[in-house]
Amino acid sequence: MEPTPTRRVWPFAVAFAVSLVLLLSPGSGSPPPFAGADKIVHVAIFAGLAVAGLLAWRAPARLAAALVAYGAAIEVAQGALPIARSADPLDLLADAAGVALGMALGLAIARFGLRRLARLGTPLVADREHSVRHDHGCIPGGRAR
């Protein structure tokens, strides 16, 4: 049984809300624990968004473009808002790297059949043929099972 569309979107909605809080909260003023720690946070956040997005939607190219645009918007907001944060082009690069990592991970989940994790959402891109056969009682090309 396929999850409802709302259930497929919840992981992404939660990840998106968490990303907003983490990326737009006022800066703490304390130095990071090590150089580049903030870049690792950006990669992890955007990888999580990409995996959750792939579970919800089947358009990886559009999702990747939207997430990179979201990363750019976050950087503009960090530079414009009085939250003791600054815009950093390297953060945007880390966001894009996180999107690429998350896309690779999400597509690998689909390719290697880790269906238990993928069942949190819709069948991923590589699972379309299975869902067509399962949902419509025929295989692509119109032949009955």
Side-chain angles (χ1 to χ4, degrees), residues 7-54:
R7 182 171 168 215
R8 289 190 309 250
V9 174
W10 270 109
F12 180 80
V14 170
F16 185 79
V18 167
S19 76
L20 281 173
V21 169
L22 292 175
L23 297 171
L24 293 179
S25 295
S28 67
S30 62
F34 56 90
D38 66 320
K39 305 307 181 253
I40 292 172
V41 170
H42 278 265
V43 168
I45 288 170
F46 279 82
L49 285 168
V51 170
L54 280 175

Side-chain angles (χ1 to χ4, degrees), residues 41-141:
V41 170
H42 278 265
V43 168
I45 288 170
F46 279 82
L49 285 168
V51 170
L54 280 175
L55 293 172
W57 299 288
R58 293 183 187 170
R62 280 189 254 165
L63 176 65
L67 288 175
V68 171
Y70 170 61
I74 287 292
E75 291 309 310
V76 170
Q78 285 179 342
L81 295 173
I83 56 173
R85 291 186 179 257
S86 60
D88 183 355
L90 293 178
D91 284 350
L92 181 56
L93 186 60
D95 298 343
V99 170
L101 177 66
M103 290 290 171
L105 180 60
L107 293 171
I109 289 168
R111 172 133 173 92
F112 295 110
L114 302 176
R115 304 237 192 277
R116 182 164 289 203
L117 179 59
R119 282 201 178 100
L120 290 173
T122 188
L124 296 173
V125 174
D127 200 23
R128 284 184 184 165
E129 183 178 324
H130 169 74
S131 66
V132 168
R133 246 184 284 136
H134 178 69
D135 293 343
H136 303 292
C138 65
I139 58 174

